[in-house]
Amino acid sequence: MAKPRSVFICQNCGASHTRWAGKCDSCGEWNTLVEDGTNGGIASGPAGLRSSRKGRAVTLTSLSGEIEEAPRIVSGIGELDRATGGGFVRGSALLIGGDPGIGKSTLLTQAAAALASKGHRIVYVSGEEAVAQIRLRAQRLGVAHTAVELAAETNVEDILATISEGKRPDLVILDSIQTLWTDMADSAPGTVTQVRASAQAMIRYAKSTGAAVVLVGHVTKEGQIAGPRVVEHMVDGVLYFEGEGGHHYRILRTVKNRFGPTDEIGVFEMSDKGLREVANPSELFLGERSTKSPGAAVFAGMEGTRPVLAEIQALVAPSPLGTPRRAVIGWDSARLSMVLAVLEAHCGVRFAQHDVYLNVAGGYRITEPAADLAVAAALVSSLTGLALPADCVYFGEVSLSGAIRPVAHAQQRLKEAEKLGFSQAVMPAAGDEQNAGGGRQTFQPATLSDLVVRIAGARARDADD
Ligand code: TYD
Ligand code: MG
């Protein structure tokens, strides 16, 4: 009979190793390997008999067939439904990750209450808070009267036994996955093995019964869902709930969705009565702008299918240091270096003696390369001390040669800008049909130096007046 062998599981990435080592080969983390019983800690029948089991024949079915219920459960909270791609999908598992205290439990309590008041059976299982604490939150949110069924429990078998009683729940919320543990795994709660086995059991439940399951996951300082990256691969959808410290608004960002688009965001504002939907994020990110000061440019961006306007602020100041500072908040620092290099190489603008600070107002984070042009405009404006026109938006990608490249959804960006009172746009030159109509003024530079000349030319024009 084969000797049972120990397995060592990395607590960071979940990779299994046959022997202990100081460093995990898979993810490179140190001191993360923990001995984990036999077979990865997940018991699967008597040892030695495992290989002799013959497979059970399952019934194969066709693609077409009856689907009895609406496949999605719509919460009615618009921003949440937008991020999930139109509601929670029955029979699927969704992971919602985020920093502690960001508002995951608040969001899910509100969603649970909204769904329960529509007649769905909702079970909320908390492994972190006592029933009294959850009730207190529900009172604060004004949803204490709704028929959400509540439990404070952490054992997966007990949870499954509980929710299997009576009518099948439409949605089961597990807050959080890190607190769950199952009898099937013999390691301590919170370890990768436990989290993975618990998630697996709950996902199996979702698939076999058709209930939607939402798992809450905490995120580590490095921005990963603590320990089990593996859970991200197991679930059907992953949403991140993010927000900057000191700002009240929160963004629910889709990173994975097997049943919908992955580039959607839902925007909320945390108030004293819970999360409030923000239907027009542009107004939030633009905030109160001082239109006279140099260094600010408004970027007409896109988040999924939705246009979002955000203000980009640059400060270029003479540097006392040999190697000047470059600091970025809300954008990619590598792209900032690239835009600076293009300005230096192709436009004759020198930043070598200057510190450069770049900030996206409101704590918003931009991932689009289309922000290049707005960043360049803000940088040149700050360096020259010339304020940009207050009613102008910027978008376009800058290539290494200094050419301005077209970006997608120009029409939608312009429409959103117009709606918010911006009458000018600096954008890539594109097909004529893109610019037809509208009373707006557009400037379409072919290269970045055209834009620099235009910004610097403003001084000359002012002097003429
Ligand atoms: P919570 O949902 O408990 O966060 P998570 O589950 O992600 O850890 O939210 C906690 C924070 O939200 C806490 O700092 C208080 C704040 N909050 C409000 O500002 N208003 C409210 O109505 C509620 C319920 C919470
Ligand atoms: Mg919580």
Side-chain angles (χ1 to χ4, degrees):
M1 204 173 101
K3 210 169 117 230
R5 275 200 312 169
S6 278
V7 178
F8 297 85
I9 307 277
C10 170
Q11 299 299 307
N12 183 52
C13 68
S16 62
H17 302 259
T18 50
R19 68 181 65 178
W20 190 86
K23 184 183 177 186
C24 171
D25 289 339
S26 294
C27 65
E29 279 296 311
W30 289 89
N31 278 332
T32 54
L33 296 202
V34 170
E35 184 169 7
D36 220 307
T38 52
N39 189 26
I42 302 168
S44 55
L49 289 180
R50 247 172 278 141
S51 56
S52 64
R53 180 180 172 271
K54 264 179 88 179
R56 173 177 58 91
V58 295
T59 331
L60 300 170
T61 62
S62 67
L63 279 177
S64 63
E66 288 289 298
I67 307 167
E68 318 85 67
E69 296 166 295
R72 285 183 186 271
I73 318 170
V74 182
S75 71
I77 301 175
E79 296 295 303
L80 175 64
D81 291 335
R82 177 198 289 275
T84 53
F88 297 110
V89 177
R90 287 184 199 274
S92 79
L94 183 71
L95 178 70
I96 297 190
D99 292 320
I102 203 78
K104 301 180 293 297
S105 307
T106 307
L107 176 69
L108 289 171
T109 308
Q110 285 180 270
L115 286 166
S117 53
K118 287 183 167 188
H120 295 293
R121 183 181 177 207
I122 312 296
V123 178
Y124 191 112
V125 183
S126 177
E128 309 209 317
E129 290 160 305
V131 168
Q133 281 175 293
I134 306 166
R135 283 192 182 141
L136 214 61
R137 180 187 287 120
Q139 272 170 20
R140 185 170 170 184
L141 298 171
V143 298
H145 59 279
T146 53
V148 177
E149 292 167 58
L150 197 60
E153 182 53 58
T154 52
N155 180 267
V156 171
E157 282 72 29
D158 293 347
I159 293 169
L160 287 174
T162 312
I163 56 182
S164 305
E165 273 175 18
K167 183 175 164 269
R168 186 213 64 200
D170 294 288
L171 179 69
V172 181
I173 297 165
L174 297 156
D175 188 1
S176 67
I177 183 73
Q178 274 98 356
T179 57
L180 294 187
W181 62 280
T182 162
D183 303 333
M184 301 286 280
D186 48 18
S187 52
T191 57
V192 169
T193 312
Q194 277 292 359
V195 169
R196 186 165 48 181
S198 305
Q200 225 156 32
M202 293 315 303
I203 293 166
R204 209 177 310 123
Y205 169 80
K207 307 266 151 155
S208 62
T209 62
V213 168
V214 172
L215 307 169
V216 174
H218 288 297
V219 164
T220 58
K221 283 273 169 290
E222 292 78 45
Q224 296 182 347
I225 293 192
R229 296 292 336 245
V230 268
V231 175
E232 291 193 22
H233 302 297
M234 290 156 56
V235 293
D236 300 297
V238 180
L239 303 181
Y240 269 86
F241 205 35
E242 10 173 271
E244 288 292 327
H247 290 288
H248 284 297
Y249 78 87
R250 305 278 183 265
I251 294 181
L252 190 61
R253 195 180 287 276
T254 318
V255 268
K256 169 179 173 178
N257 193 349
R258 284 188 182 146
F259 310 108
T262 52
D263 48 6
E264 285 295 354
I265 59 164
V267 185
F268 298 89
E269 193 175 5
M270 183 63 97
S271 71
D272 55 349
K273 294 221 163 38
L275 292 157
R276 205 175 54 75
E277 289 180 61
V278 178
N280 193 343
S282 299
E283 282 168 15
L284 192 70
F285 299 133
L286 284 179
E288 285 136 34
R289 297 194 302 129
S290 70
T291 49
K292 284 272 173 279
S293 59
V298 176
F299 167 54
M302 292 293 292
E303 281 286 355
T305 57
R306 174 152 65 165
V308 175
L309 265 52
E311 188 187 64
I312 292 179
Q313 305 165 343
L315 176 64
V316 179
S319 176
L321 306 169
T323 314
R325 280 185 66 104
R326 270 92 179 92
V328 194
I329 298 170
W331 204 49
D332 184 13
S333 60
R335 277 207 93 82
L336 172 65
S337 307
M338 193 205 84
V339 172
L340 288 173
V342 173
L343 282 168
E344 293 226 1
H346 297 293
C347 312
V349 186
R350 315 277 316 156
F351 290 98
Q353 310 293 323
H354 291 83
D355 288 335
V356 175
Y357 301 91
L358 194 80
N359 179 40
V360 180
Y364 179 55
R365 191 162 55 87
I366 296 173
T367 48
E368 269 191 297
D372 291 351
L373 206 57
V375 169
L379 290 171
V380 175
S381 163
S382 178
L383 182 73
T384 56
L386 297 165
L388 299 168
D391 59 345
C392 185
V393 294
Y394 298 80
F395 62 90
E397 189 180 334
V398 173
S399 73
L400 286 178
S401 65
I404 309 293
R405 304 184 37 147
V407 294
H409 308 296
Q411 223 25 263
Q412 266 169 287
R413 295 174 202 263
L414 289 171
K415 234 186 244 146
E416 173 78 0
E418 213 162 310
K419 213 166 72 190
L420 291 163
F422 290 85
S423 57
Q424 299 182 49
V426 174
M427 56 183 279
D432 294 337
E433 72 284 354
Q434 289 219 323
N435 312 314
R440 75 185 84 86
Q441 248 181 298
T442 55
F443 172 59
Q444 298 176 306
T447 64
L448 193 53
S449 54
D450 293 348
L451 177 66
V452 174
V453 168
R454 185 183 168 92
I455 294 171
R459 189 191 341 239
R461 277 200 298 278
D462 283 350
D464 288 347
D465 292 344

